[in-house]
Amino acid sequence: MSDQSAEKTLPLNDWHQAKGARMVPFAGYSMPIQYEGIMAEHQWTRNNAGLFDVSHMGQLQLVGEGAAESLERIVPGDISALKPGKMRYSLLLAEDGGILDDMMITNTGRHLYIVVNGAVKHQDITYMRSQLPQTIDLVHLEGQALLALQGPKAAEAFARLSIVGLEPGWPGPDDLYFMDAAPCLWGEVPLGVSRSGYTGEDGFEISVPAEHVVALADALCEQPEVKPIGLGARDSLRLEAGLPLYGHDLDPKTDPVQGNLAFAISKVRRAEGGFHGADRILAALENGADKKRVGFAVEGRMPVREGAPIFAGDAEVGVITSGGFAPTIGAPIAMGFVAADHAALDSRLEAEVRGKRVPIAVSKMPFVPNGYRRKGKS
């Protein structure tokens, strides 16, 4: 998870260091990898609430008449049907259908708000500007920080900050369910709040003007349920949740069907096509992909890491793209790509680690059940 390029600093950089974080280069930024230890931070988030600084992510606004329809040319989701206050996971597609990034798209009622990965945000912006009509404004919200409060006690802690909907009649954080979003106020500070995240837990992502992020982070960490959590635990949490990480589990050589992300291709788009790579992607939906991203249970205690080749007997049939020890499960887990004829649940294979073969088996994902707050379930 390192990026050796010159690092920028985030608005919370001094705050992280004052709290004892070990800082590492990631996605071009100096970021906290851990405070008291990855295992402890992972378990704290699973049982309480962890505060993550994800301000390296790109926050974009798409403004203009026909923005949703224009965006649909380069993503496979039904963005035109996205109602105000709703958000959707989608994929930025190259002309051949390869995945350039994954993203969250929200209809705020006034414009589209998009969150993209930090490591490729500038490439995304250049590409999107080249693909969208000039009548659509693409604004990079460089003055906004982004926090993620995640865990089963996130809502309980967040409620004490007395955050309300932007105007009477608008929902506040407690009114939101998974994949809902709303503009809110914390005192006089405007916030963009969504019930989402990338840990598999209930929680919120909070877009806040950078000049107010220290005060908000302090207010959250004053709550007994909340501790700051580093990138290390974020990675183990998202792996347990079966969530891919762009640049590791997804890349431009992978299409959505190979990436096991067909759910991001809306029903109407499957029928109508009209997005980059539609011929390739719709054919793969109908006929099956040549390879598939799957999860693996790992036998023994030795983790299998990214890059480890996967074998069926003497035949190399795939590669591990993410792997590590899963604190909640108490055993190593992994995800990776295998040839389609080895992707069936419980298929037994081997990963090669430092010259040794480690038995692995194709497993269901998520590895740990998610804790999202869905309507009708809470």
Side-chain angles (χ1 to χ4, degrees):
M1 86 172 17
S2 66
D3 180 342
Q4 299 302 320
S5 58
E7 304 117 56
K8 300 175 184 177
T9 56
L10 299 173
L12 276 181
N13 185 68
D14 293 345
W15 186 90
H16 292 308
Q17 296 194 44
K19 292 191 174 298
R22 184 161 75 83
M23 308 297 285
V24 299
F26 179 73
Y29 290 87
S30 177
M31 297 188 67
I33 190 167
Q34 64 179 48
Y35 296 83
E36 59 181 297
I38 293 173
M39 182 75 77
E41 291 169 33
H42 181 113
Q43 299 290 20
W44 180 269
T45 305
R46 280 277 183 249
N47 295 303
N48 297 279
L51 182 65
F52 301 80
D53 181 6
V54 288
S55 300
H56 64 301
M57 306 284 277
Q59 299 182 69
L60 314 176
Q61 273 184 0
L62 212 57
V63 187
E65 188 173 352
E69 291 79 5
S70 299
L71 186 62
E72 286 183 347
R73 182 166 168 260
I74 50 176
V75 305
D78 188 6
I79 310 305
S80 302
L82 200 55
K83 296 179 180 177
K86 297 293 183 182
M87 58 194 304
R88 183 163 291 165
Y89 176 86
S90 197
L91 301 159
L92 185 64
L93 298 176
E95 291 188 5
D96 68 354
I99 300 172
L100 298 176
D101 198 2
D102 58 350
M103 54 175 52
M104 300 298 296
I105 302 171
T106 301
N107 182 351
T108 69
R110 299 174 179 176
H111 54 258
L112 296 178
Y113 166 74
I114 303 172
V115 177
V116 299
N117 279 289
V120 292
K121 62 186 175 186
H122 295 296
Q123 293 97 302
D124 289 353
I125 291 168
T126 299
Y127 179 73
M128 292 172 71
R129 281 184 169 146
S130 75
Q131 298 289 322
L132 296 170
Q134 292 186 352
T135 52
I136 305 299
D137 290 329
L138 176 59
V139 183
H140 185 191
L141 304 174
E142 296 182 89
Q144 291 289 114
L146 189 65
L147 301 178
L149 183 67
Q150 302 281 289
K153 297 182 181 178
E156 180 181 341
F158 205 38
R160 289 194 208 100
L161 269 62
S162 300
I163 294 168
V164 297
L166 180 65
E167 297 171 358
W170 289 63
D174 197 45
D175 302 315
L176 303 179
Y177 290 86
F178 182 57
M179 301 298 272
D180 288 345
C184 294
L185 282 175
W186 177 48
E188 296 183 351
V189 179
L191 305 177
V193 178
S194 66
R195 197 112 189 194
S196 65
Y198 219 62
T199 63
E201 290 291 341
D202 182 26
F204 304 89
E205 288 200 348
I206 310 140
S207 178
V208 53
E211 64 266 31
H212 296 292
V213 69
V214 169
L216 181 58
D218 280 339
L220 288 168
C221 285
E222 286 172 1
Q223 310 309 312
E225 302 91 349
V226 181
K227 286 185 177 182
I229 305 296
L231 285 175
R234 185 171 187 264
D235 195 54
S236 55
L237 287 159
R238 72 94 194 163
L239 180 58
E240 287 186 342
L243 299 170
L245 182 63
Y246 192 79
H248 299 260
D249 309 297
L250 304 174
D251 60 30
K253 297 179 181 177
T254 305
D255 69 42
V257 184
Q258 293 169 329
N260 202 7
L261 298 170
F263 71 87
I265 309 168
S266 303
K267 185 177 180 181
V268 66
R269 309 300 311 281
R270 296 181 186 215
E272 297 177 356
F275 52 89
H276 280 356
D279 289 347
R280 166 189 174 182
I281 293 167
L282 297 179
L285 275 175
E286 183 173 351
N287 304 319
D290 59 338
K291 63 178 182 179
K292 190 175 180 183
R293 180 178 63 89
V294 297
F296 294 107
V298 179
E299 191 173 301
R301 302 290 289 179
M302 180 186 291
V304 297
R305 305 289 187 186
E306 179 179 358
I310 298 170
F311 290 88
D314 293 332
E316 187 171 335
V317 297
V319 64
I320 298 294
T321 51
S322 287
F325 187 79
T328 309
I329 298 169
I333 58 173
M335 67 173 72
F337 284 86
V338 291
D341 53 352
H342 294 284
L345 191 64
D346 298 326
S347 293
R348 296 191 64 80
L349 301 164
E350 293 177 312
E352 188 171 285
V353 181
R354 296 192 294 273
K356 295 182 178 179
R357 294 288 183 92
V358 178
I360 60 176
V362 176
S363 172
K364 284 183 181 177
M365 293 192 291
F367 296 96
V368 175
N370 64 57
Y372 305 140
R373 185 199 193 204
R374 298 183 188 274
K375 279 188 177 177
K377 293 188 176 179
S378 61

